[in-house]
Each structure stands twice: as C-alpha cells, then as structure tokens.
Amino acid sequence: MDRIRIVGGRPLNGRIPISGAKNAALPLMIASLLTDRTLTLENLPRLADVNQLMRILGNQGVDTSIDGKRKGEHEVAGQTAHLNARVIVDTTAPYELVSRMRASFWVLAPLLARMGEAKVSLPGGCAIGTRPVDFLLMAMEKLGASIDIDAGYVVAKAPKGLQGGEIDFPKVTVGGTHVALMAATLANGSTLITNAAREPEVVDLAECLSKMGARIKGAGTSEIEIEGVARLSGASHSVMPDRIETGTYAMAVAMTGGDVLLEGARGDLLQAALDDLVKTGAEVTQEEAGLRIRKNGGPIQPVDVTTQPYPGFPTDLQAQFMGLMTRADGVSRIRETIFENRFMHVQELARLGAHIHLEGDTAIVTGTQKLKGAPVMATDLRASVSLVIAALAAQGETVVSRVYHLDRGFEHLEKKLGACGAEVERLSAAE
Ligand code: UD1
C-alpha cells in the first residue's frame, strides 16, 4: 500500500487546480440509470470512488466511455465520460460492490423509478458512526414503493411505477434528498420534498436532471417540487468544482503561510468555512480565475466552529479545520453535529503532538507551535487529509500510511501540494 511522506515547514505558493466535486460526480453518474440515452459528464474527477462507481454501474448495464486526453491538456484536467444505460441488465446491486462505497446504495432510486424494482445491499458498517438509510427507504415508500429487508438486502418494488407524494425528512439528509429527487423525476404526478438538503451538490444534480427533461423547482432551498415525467433524455453536464477540496487547500495555506490561487474554485460554495478561515487570520479573495488564499507570518487565531447542514460549516471540513487549529495561538472548540464518531483523526493528530481533548460531540483543541512529524495512519477520507495539513507545518518527517483513503477523494494530492513548494512525495508500496 502506498504511503505519503511529508517534511513540514515550507510555505505554499503557486496555483492549485480544483477538481470536479466527488460528491456531485457520484449522484450525477447514478442519474445515468434514469434514461436510455447518453449522459455526458464533463469535469469528472479522477478518483478511486469514481472508478469504483463506474464498475458498479457497469454491473447494472451502464456502458461508459471516457474521452482521451486532448493535446496540451493539463494532467489534472477533469475527464469527460459518456454514460449510457440503454438496457438495464441487472436491478441488483450486490454486497461486494455496495459495501465498498456507501453512495452506491443510491442506485436504489433510479432502478426503482425506471424498472419498478431494485434489490440493493444495505451498505453495512462505516467508519463514521452508524449512518443508517431509514430516511432513504421512507422516501421511496412515500412514493409508493414497497420495501422489504431480506438477508441484508433492501428489496424495493413498485410494479405499476412510482407515484408522486410528500416526503418530509425528519433530519436534513443529502443522500435522502438525492434519491428522493431522482425517483420523483419519473414518478406519476407531483412530489414535494420538505426539509430537503440545500447542499450545492443537490443543486448540481437538479440542474443536470432538468437538462435531461425533469421538472424541478426549488433545488437549493428546503422545499423542492418535482413534476414527474414519463421519460428522461440524454444531456451534457459539467460537474461543479469541489468545495471540500477547495476548503482543504485553503486551510493548508492558512496553516503553512504563503499565497495560492485555487483555480476554478468558487468561494460562494463554502462561504461559512471561508468566513471562519478569515477569522483565523488568512486573507481570502475571489478572483476571476479562482479563489486566492494568502497568509503571512502572523499567528493562527483560534476559532470555534460547529458543523451544520449547508449553508453552515460542512462536516467534511471539520477534520481539516481541526488540523489547522492544532497550531493556533490559543484554545478552540470544534463541535460535530452531523455524524457521531467523526473524531478518528484526533488520536492520529495527537501523534504529531496536538493537544486535543474530547467532550461528547466537542473537541477542545489547545494550539501548539511544537507539532513534530511522526508515522500516522489514515482512517477515513477527511480524517486523513487533516493529518496532511498538520504534517505540512510539523517539524521533520511525517509518513501517512493507508493512503488509499486519500485517493478516494483527493486527486493528485501530492502533485498539487508539491507544485506549490511543499516537500511531499508518494512512496509506492514496494519502497
Ligand atoms: C453526504 C456526503 C458526505 C457528507 C454528508 C453530510 C456524499 C457522497 N457524501 O453523505 O461526504 O459528510 O453528506 O454533509 O455526498 N441519516 C439517517 N438516516 C438516513 C440518512 C441519514 O439517520 O437514512 C443521518 C446520518 O446518519 C447523518 C445525517 O443524517 O447523521 C446526515 O447524513 P446524510 O446527509 O444523509 O449523509 P450522506 O448523504 O450519507
């Protein structure tokens, strides 16, 4: 297994291209199951999760072709994929595949909407809390599906097709909103989703579905109305920039100091996190080419944050912000309200010399100037990148193992940081 070696202490200066958003790419790819026509997705990130989902969709009958690289194209430029689900060959998504990536459970909705049946494995355990799917199943039931659980599988049926209905989520759920939205596009009649997730990725999905002929109003607010249509057509859509990757590199610059242009990034997609970053002492400006982050010398101010559904501070940036706070000039409190058990990075950050104390859903971080490199282990996607942020400012060498967690969601991390002056390299398994 690959590892990443980082020697801390260098500022970051230069440009980092921001990739297409993983969390938008996955539901967009899944939406290809809704139509027998070709869905073309541009700016798809080159990530392990994207490749894995292509394999899962292939099992259902989706043919995918990826355009070759154009001459002179940047190494990290997004790829263009054409997904075609002309014939659905299998409405079952097996455990071996779904257990590797939670989001693949969402194939339930388009399979049910288009084929009237789906059998999808329950995703099983996950490193960040229990993460149930009860709201997703409730949403399908509200659209007239019958749901049974059999030997670890969700068996969903709607032999006469789905019917429009009212779906009121008891808690904001991104996945729940994605599946409700996809299923309702092909349901008979109109659907109202209340307490819908307002995340930009939901808006991106709704925009793509609208290009495919869906009739959707209100995406991006907590009330979404969908008027079902008989069929959807093909479309072409460009995946939005990754706001989590943007926030991650912004925090890295706030940590090391320097001046970096995050190319193609949109600050409006993560305003809450950027406001907090400014309070830590970084300078953030939106320019035409992207988002510019500057930090000169001075101390990192401690700032308290609480994770919230969009437009609040995103849970997917919590670990990275904690990484930054480990070096702040004082004490900060970081409260996680979305997921239980999303503090696995705390123990690993402690190996780098961080002072963090957990009290229920809150981490109390006492900043120190004495972070020191050490061997650490990646535990999940966001947790592992918080170790990278801390390592960039630690004295000496850090080696992060289990890098496959990083590869799930960060494209060419070592190249992007290395190009800005960080001392970082990938050690391949053999080394
Ligand atoms: C998505 C993101 C993930 C992000 C999360 C919250 C993708 C691929 N993943 O995950 O990166 O951290 O949103 O912004 O886009 N819940 C239930 N029952 C359900 C569904 C959810 O209790 O049926 C709970 C969850 O346990 C959690 C909360 O609702 O406490 C929010 O989860 P949700 O928004 O659904 O997360 P995901 O869509 O899985």
Side-chain angles (χ1 to χ4, degrees):
M1 269 180 273
D2 287 3
R3 291 166 298 152
I4 283 185
R5 174 179 170 272
I6 298 163
V7 180
R10 296 206 186 171
L12 292 168
N13 285 292
R15 302 162 87 96
I16 297 181
I18 294 302
S19 299
K22 171 180 88 76
N23 284 357
L26 302 180
L28 287 166
M29 291 167 68
I30 290 172
S32 69
L33 287 168
L34 288 165
T35 173
D36 59 1
R37 303 301 169 87
T38 301
L39 176 64
T40 296
L41 295 176
E42 292 158 21
N43 199 32
L44 260 193
R46 295 164 204 271
L47 295 172
D49 269 11
V50 166
N51 296 337
Q52 174 70 15
L53 184 58
M54 273 178 200
R55 276 193 287 278
I56 295 170
L57 293 174
N59 193 57
Q60 259 66 66
V62 179
D63 286 324
T64 305
S65 69
I66 295 178
D67 287 359
K69 219 172 251 181
R70 284 184 295 271
K71 210 169 163 230
E73 199 173 61
H74 200 288
E75 188 183 11
V76 297
Q79 44 190 356
T80 298
H82 309 277
L83 297 99
N84 184 294
R86 197 170 57 82
V87 181
I88 304 278
V89 294
D90 196 348
T91 53
T92 300
Y95 177 68
E96 305 78 75
L97 295 176
V98 179
S99 59
R100 286 198 220 155
M101 193 202 329
R102 270 191 67 82
S104 62
F105 182 79
W106 301 344
V107 299
L108 180 77
L111 289 175
L112 189 56
R114 185 164 151 203
M115 307 300 289
E117 60 169 41
K119 185 176 170 190
V120 181
S121 168
L122 284 165
C126 173
I128 49 171
T130 45
R131 293 186 88 174
V133 291
D134 50 338
F135 302 155
L136 283 66
L137 300 184
M138 176 276 281
M140 297 303 100
E141 280 177 333
K142 292 281 183 195
L143 299 182
S146 71
I147 305 276
D148 282 306
I149 309 287
D150 181 28
Y153 278 78
V154 172
V155 182
K157 288 196 178 123
K160 295 191 189 121
L162 292 172
Q163 298 295 322
E166 291 193 7
I167 302 170
D168 181 28
F169 286 114
K171 184 174 177 184
V172 174
T173 157
V174 175
T177 306
H178 283 323
V179 299
L181 195 54
M182 282 192 262
T185 57
L186 288 181
N188 195 356
S190 56
T191 297
L192 177 66
I193 308 174
T194 49
N195 200 24
R198 290 180 280 166
E199 267 67 2
E201 292 76 12
V202 170
V203 178
D204 210 33
L205 175 65
E207 279 174 7
C208 178
L209 291 170
S210 300
K211 288 181 196 164
M212 293 162 74
R215 295 173 60 188
I216 301 168
K217 272 199 279 188
T221 74
S222 9
E223 275 196 23
I224 307 181
E225 282 175 65
I226 303 113
E227 190 62 46
V229 295
R231 61 182 49 81
L232 293 175
S233 61
S236 186
H237 184 78
S238 181
V239 180
M240 61 178 273
D242 197 319
R243 63 191 169 103
I244 304 304
E245 190 193 28
T246 302
T248 301
Y249 289 124
M251 287 172 199
V253 179
M255 183 67 152
T256 61
D259 182 345
V260 172
L261 180 69
L262 303 174
E263 286 173 340
R266 275 177 47 196
D268 61 311
L269 301 177
L270 68 158
Q271 202 52 57
L274 293 179
D275 290 346
D276 287 327
L277 204 62
V278 167
K279 289 187 207 153
T280 71
E283 224 182 291
V284 177
T285 29
Q286 181 74 55
E287 297 183 357
E288 204 167 310
L291 199 63
R292 187 157 175 199
I293 315 292
R294 272 176 289 196
K295 175 79 204 288
N296 292 327
I300 298 168
Q301 297 302 331
V303 176
D304 297 343
V305 301
T306 298
T307 62
Q308 296 285 356
Y310 192 84
F313 188 99
T315 175
D316 287 350
L317 285 174
Q318 178 256 106
Q320 297 89 317
F321 198 77
M322 197 183 302
L324 175 62
M325 288 298 100
T326 60
R327 217 169 150 250
D329 207 10
V331 179
S332 59
R333 298 171 67 86
I334 299 181
R335 184 161 169 248
E336 172 60 57
T337 72
I338 309 292
F339 292 109
E340 48 187 274
N341 206 1
R342 206 180 204 186
F343 282 137
M344 272 106 43
H345 41 289
V346 167
Q347 281 185 12
E348 297 297 309
L349 285 169
R351 293 178 51 78
L352 298 174
H355 300 299
I356 306 169
H357 167 73
L358 287 180
E359 264 178 30
D361 64 1
T362 302
I364 299 150
V365 187
T366 306
T368 169
Q369 300 306 305
K370 292 188 186 144
L371 295 177
K372 201 155 170 249
V376 289
M377 203 183 283
T379 49
D380 79 17
L381 175 57
R382 313 302 178 189
S384 48
V385 82
S386 76
L387 301 172
V388 172
I389 290 179
L392 286 171
Q395 212 183 69
E397 178 184 291
T398 297
V399 176
V400 185
S401 56
R402 300 205 178 162
V403 163
Y404 57 85
H405 286 295
L406 275 175
D407 293 337
R408 284 189 43 217
F410 290 92
E411 185 177 335
H412 294 304
L413 176 104
E414 70 279 10
K415 283 187 188 147
K416 289 186 182 187
L417 287 172
C420 289
E423 194 174 337
V424 46
E425 64 174 333
R426 179 176 287 255
L427 308 173
S428 64
E431 288 174 74

